[in-house]
């Protein structure tokens, strides 16, 4: 790992230079909110953002992605043959990934890159990408990253971490990918500087600014069925409108649905994000739906993130504490509250009365 | 608003205790400022969580669809109009409902207020007509009237139209407002300008369907966008499909929409979806003299006909 200090001038020229080797993405203000966009010539990432409204997951894993094309023209030889679309990704660099969002990529990787199953679309995009993170000097009220396996200066999932101090950019080069990026930005020859003490100071202040915490320590030892049958689900799920916002904005939600669309004689097979909050998600062809009730869907989302994932991978929760679902849920279903309910749930002492729906 | 809260709790407990209702649907305080949560109270303890302030903008009629129990429900003007619409459309029976009417002075626009400040808002306190917004290093007083939701600012039915009991005296209705100001503006555009306006309007849509799901009118067992045999609408971000969703949904709401604003309130992308429904509301008013949900005895113009209809096609 190498620590260098970059001034505003060098930052601007570096980002501009990197654009010749990478497709560079960065936060840009759109209407009222920030979004990750490809940066054009002379366009700089706007680092005044707190976090983007949607997470950067769509850069690696687009909401709609074409995988195959086909023809249904009987006069053609290749009629009804699925042809894979070209799946090559040129190098990309995402500037300004917040540490919470950075951690989501290794989490999602556990699903898309396993010894038995390789999702080549996700893997190729992931491998082609350099993650240039931006430390948070102060956290939002809804962030709970320090309870979710990272923190405002967290490095997991990042190739470079930028720490902004006034006009200076303290740059931590973490991986070889990060080194290659620094090289192409022209920062490669910069001398290592001793800014460790300064960074430590900023980090301590940033961590102290995280005002919200949740407890996850007891989740692992709970019995799945105890939590599944806990009486609070119906009451907590009452307000939910099953809109799926929480899962679409979440950096760690990975579910998709495969669809064919035919226009005239040709068609595409694509995948689109799906959501466990939609009744259609589990609707069987027979008409049966094993998760027919709203509370069952709400329960699924939280059980997956906070129990099944915890048990399966033994690497913490499937949530990075970015707080997006809390900020954007239209009916204020708050994962912090549910997580605390699950973590402290005790079959013996539970006297709460379930409400029916 | 404290008086409203106390009165709601008092009524709810009475109704639950004397068995008039099985549950009372209202709002409870959320975990974030300006975010209250729809709440179902079935016992006196949970009835004590019920509350009221200017952040109860979701439409509670959405939560009674097809329910079988006897339900006490807290309803401001627009909720009551959607309850009336529900009764007319057989989604609930009038005698299943005990409507706790809220004379409403408008809800505040949390999107607008959030956008006014660069940092987190940690508390929002109301007192009479003023709202105090505070964060870690600031505090600012706003006039409630200036930060009302757009539909509330132009609302002409603040009092519930149908109720069994009121929590307070009726409020004065607004008369000098034009709910259709923006529609008139769009109507004056030429075709290309209109096209561009609507393209820009829905361009951020992620098709989460929060707008549909928050709307009490959208109760179809299978929405046309979810239908798979045959599949009417594609599932990707293809602009044709996004447009189809918005236009068809709006038409399904024609003559039924009360302009409660729930759809807009819940959109995570801040899209002004009411620009579609408002046009149809205006048409219904101009063509049929109709506003939705004002009477239990009249059916909406698009599911009825009159023998003296001036148009030829009906005869
Ligand atoms: S929890 Fe909230 S955001 Fe998620 S589906 Fe339910 S209402 Fe929508
Ligand atoms: S569950 Fe919510 S807080 Fe956790 S990563 Fe997803 S959006 Fe962020
Ligand atoms: S709530 Fe907003 S983003 Fe979601 S489908 Fe409706 S308009 Fe689109
Ligand atoms: S379309 Fe929107 S404004 Fe109209 S009734 Fe439905 S939620 Fe309310």
């Amino acid at each position: 790992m190498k620590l260098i200090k970059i001034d505003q001038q060098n930052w601007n020229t570096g980002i501009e230079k990197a654009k010749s080797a990478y497709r560079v993405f960065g936060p840009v203000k759109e209407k009222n909110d920030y979004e990750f966009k490809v940066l054009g010539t002379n366009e700089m990432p706007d680092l005044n953002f707190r976090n983007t409204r949607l997470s950067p997951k769509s850069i690696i894993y687009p909401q709609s992605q074409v995988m195959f094309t086909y023809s249904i023209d009987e006069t053609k030889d290749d009629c009804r043959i699925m042809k894979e679309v070209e799946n090559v990704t040129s190098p990309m660099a995402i500037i300004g990934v917040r540490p919470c969002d950075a951690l989501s990529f290794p989490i999602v990787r556990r699903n898309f890159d396993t010894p038995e199953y390789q999702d080549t679309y996700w893997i190729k995009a992931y491998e082609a990408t350099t993650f240039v993170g931006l430390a948070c000097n102060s956290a939002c009220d809804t962030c709970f990253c320090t309870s979710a396996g990272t923190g405002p200066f967290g490095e997991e999932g990042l190739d470079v971490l930028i720490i902004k101090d006034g006009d200076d950019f303290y740059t931590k080069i973490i991986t070889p990918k990060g080194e290659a990026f620094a090289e192409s930005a022209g920062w490669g020859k910069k001398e290592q500087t001793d800014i460790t003490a300064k960074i430590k100071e900023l980090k301590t202040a940033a961590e102290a600014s995280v005002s919200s915490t949740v407890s996850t320590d007891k989740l692992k030892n709970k019995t799945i069925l105890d939590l599944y049958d806990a009486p609070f689900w119906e009451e907590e799920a009452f307000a939910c409108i099953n809109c799926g916002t929480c899962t679409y904005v979440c950096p760690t939600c990975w579910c998709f649905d495969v669809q064919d669309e035919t226009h005239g004689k040709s068609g595409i097979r694509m995948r689109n994000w799906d959501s466990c909050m939609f009744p259609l998600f589990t609707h069987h062809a027979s008409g049966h739906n094993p998760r027919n009730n709203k509370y069952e869907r709400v329960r699924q989302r939280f059980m997956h993130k906070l129990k099944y994932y915890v048990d399966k991978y033994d690497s913490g929760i499937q949530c990075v504490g970015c707080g997006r679902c809390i900020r954007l849920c239209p009916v204020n279903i708050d994962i912090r509250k549910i997580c605390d309910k699950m973590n402290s749930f005790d079959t013996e002492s539970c006297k709460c009365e379930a409400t029916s729906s | 608003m404290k008086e409203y809260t106390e009165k709601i709790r008092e009524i709810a407990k009475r109704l639950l205790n004397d068995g008039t209702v099985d549950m009372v649907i209202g709002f409870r305080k959320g975990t974030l400022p300006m975010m209250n949560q729809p709440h179902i109270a079935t016992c006196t303890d949970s009835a004590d969580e019920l509350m009221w302030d200017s952040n109860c903008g979701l439409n509670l009629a959405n939560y009674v669809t097809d329910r079988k129990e006897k339900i006490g429900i807290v309803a401001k003007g627009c909720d009551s109009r959607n309850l009336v619409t529900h009764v007319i459309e057989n989604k609930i029976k009038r005698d299943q409902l005990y409507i706790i009417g809220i004379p409403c002075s408008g809800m505040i626009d949390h999107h607008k207020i959030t956008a006014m400040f660069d940092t987190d808002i940690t508390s929002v306190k109301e007192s009479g007509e003023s709202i105090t917004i505070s964060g870690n290093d600031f505090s600012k007083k706003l006039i409630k009237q200036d930060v009302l939701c757009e539909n509330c600012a132009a609302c002409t039915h603040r009092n519930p139209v149908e109720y069994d009991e009121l929590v307070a005296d009726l409020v004065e209705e607004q008369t000098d407002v034009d709910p259709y100001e923006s529609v008139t503006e769009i109507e004056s555009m030429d075709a290309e300008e209109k096209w561009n306006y609507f393209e820009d309007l829905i361009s951020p849509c992620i098709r989460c369907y929060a707008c549909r799901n928050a709307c009490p009118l959208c109760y179809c067992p299978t929405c046309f966008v979810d239908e798979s045999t045959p599949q009417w609408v594609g599932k990707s971000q293809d602009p044709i499909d996004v447009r189809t969703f918005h236009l068809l949904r709006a038409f399904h709401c024609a003559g039924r929409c009360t302009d409660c604003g729930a759809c807009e309130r819940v959109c995570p992308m801040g899209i002004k979806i009411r620009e579609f429904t408002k046009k149809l509301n205006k048409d219904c008013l101009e063509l049929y003299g109709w506003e939705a949900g004002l009477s239990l005895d009249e059916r909406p113009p698009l599911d009825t006909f009159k023998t003296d209809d001036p148009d030829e096609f009906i005869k």
Side-chain angles (χ1 to χ4, degrees), chain A residues 232-347:
Chain A
F232 52 75
W233 292 116
E234 291 202 34
E235 184 181 340
E236 291 308 323
F238 173 74
C240 174
I241 57 171
N242 276 166
C243 63
T245 298
C246 49
T247 56
Y248 277 16
V249 301
C250 176
T252 72
C253 277
W254 58 47
C255 293
F256 61 82
D257 176 39
V258 175
Q259 286 268 323
D260 288 356
E261 270 185 17
T262 310
H263 299 272
K265 295 260 182 234
S266 60
I268 50 174
R269 172 163 293 181
M270 60 182 158
R271 66 167 168 197
N272 300 307
W273 290 353
D274 205 349
S275 169
C276 57
M277 305 310 276
F278 299 156
L280 216 58
F281 187 73
T282 43
H283 194 97
H284 294 179
S286 67
H288 173 65
N289 192 341
R291 272 184 231 137
N292 210 14
N293 294 307
K294 171 165 77 180
Y295 81 89
E296 294 167 319
R297 299 189 281 271
V298 172
R299 174 174 66 193
Q300 165 61 24
R301 170 169 165 247
F302 291 114
M303 285 293 280
H304 186 199
K305 289 194 175 299
L306 304 172
K307 181 60 184 166
Y308 308 144
Y309 178 92
V310 171
D311 288 359
K312 182 165 175 185
Y313 297 106
D314 197 16
S315 311
I317 55 177
Q318 189 205 359
C319 164
V320 296
C322 72
R324 284 189 182 84
C325 59
I326 307 170
R327 292 191 290 277
L328 292 170
C329 170
V331 301
N332 190 242
I333 291 185
D334 188 329
I335 189 170
R336 296 170 298 181
K337 186 174 167 197
I338 309 277
C339 186
D340 282 335
K341 273 195 185 258
M342 288 171 71
N343 196 59
S344 63
F345 180 65
D346 179 354
T347 33

Side-chain angles (χ1 to χ4, degrees), chain A residues 223-238:
Chain A
T223 314
I224 284 184
L225 280 180
D226 284 349
L227 284 177
Y228 188 89
D229 291 328
F232 52 75
W233 292 116
E234 291 202 34
E235 184 181 340
E236 291 308 323
F238 173 74

Side-chain angles (χ1 to χ4, degrees), chain B residues 1-250:
Chain B
M1 294 291 113
K2 211 166 143 255
E3 306 77 47
Y4 276 43
T5 297
E6 276 164 17
K7 192 77 190 173
I8 291 169
R9 288 181 187 167
E10 177 197 311
I11 298 172
K13 283 188 247 182
R14 189 186 76 228
L15 298 175
L16 288 166
N17 284 337
D18 69 15
T20 310
V21 300
D22 305 316
M23 59 184 58
V24 175
I25 295 177
F27 284 92
R28 67 175 169 188
K29 191 144 192 55
T31 59
L32 299 179
M34 299 185 283
M35 284 306 269
N36 293 333
Q37 186 178 57
H39 175 57
I40 180 168
T42 47
C43 60
T44 42
D45 275 357
S46 58
D48 266 328
E49 285 186 64
L50 291 166
M51 52 85 67
W52 192 264
D53 62 18
S54 299
N55 302 295
C56 298
L58 289 161
N59 192 324
L60 292 180
N62 196 30
Y63 290 88
V64 301
T65 313
D66 291 329
R67 286 198 88 114
K68 300 290 172 253
E69 306 92 335
K70 293 208 71 168
I71 303 166
I73 180 161
V74 173
K76 53 193 181 298
C78 48
D79 304 55
S80 80
R81 291 172 64 197
N82 279 96
L83 288 172
V84 166
T85 307
H86 255 28
V87 173
I88 293 175
E89 297 180 358
N90 296 323
K91 287 288 112 189
I92 193 91
K93 292 200 182 65
R94 176 66 183 92
D95 60 14
Q96 268 175 277
L97 296 176
Y98 189 97
I99 303 176
I100 306 168
I102 308 274
C104 176
S105 54
M107 295 292 131
I108 57 176
D109 185 341
H110 70 288
H111 294 298
K112 194 182 210 166
I113 296 177
T114 310
M116 288 166 73
F117 300 92
D118 289 336
T119 52
D120 286 333
I121 294 169
T122 50
S123 103
V124 172
K125 290 211 169 72
E126 292 184 60
S127 125
E129 281 310 297
S130 79
I131 310 253
T132 309
I133 315 280
S134 328
N136 286 333
D137 46 11
F138 72 93
S139 174
K140 195 174 165 154
K141 221 180 202 165
L142 301 172
I143 311 287
K144 178 170 161 180
Q145 193 62 31
D146 298 340
V147 287
L148 284 182
C149 291
E150 221 179 71
N151 61 314
C152 300
C155 173
T156 52
H157 299 284
R158 294 182 146 184
N159 291 303
V161 293
E162 183 73 23
Y163 53 84
D164 294 289
E165 187 170 349
L166 286 173
V167 302
D169 292 338
L170 294 176
V171 293
E172 199 181 323
E173 292 291 1
Q174 310 189 105
T175 45
D176 52 349
V177 288
D178 176 13
Y180 305 113
E181 205 180 304
S182 65
V183 182
T184 317
E185 239 168 74
I186 300 167
E187 281 170 344
S188 71
M189 297 178 182
D190 67 27
E192 195 186 328
E193 284 171 330
K194 277 186 193 154
W195 181 267
N196 294 338
Y197 176 84
F198 285 108
E199 280 296 277
D200 180 58
L201 184 77
I202 58 173
S203 63
C205 177
I206 55 171
R207 287 178 84 193
C208 62
Y209 303 139
C211 48
R212 173 196 70 183
N213 291 14
C215 176
L217 304 174
C218 285
Y219 54 65
C220 291
T222 309
C223 176
F224 69 95
V225 293
D226 290 338
E227 189 64 75
S228 54
T229 39
Q231 184 167 335
W232 305 110
V233 189
K235 301 242 175 209
S236 70
Q237 291 300 96
D238 187 330
I240 298 179
D241 294 317
V242 181
R243 275 177 224 139
T244 308
F245 163 62
H246 283 285
L247 290 173
L248 255 76
R249 193 187 93 82

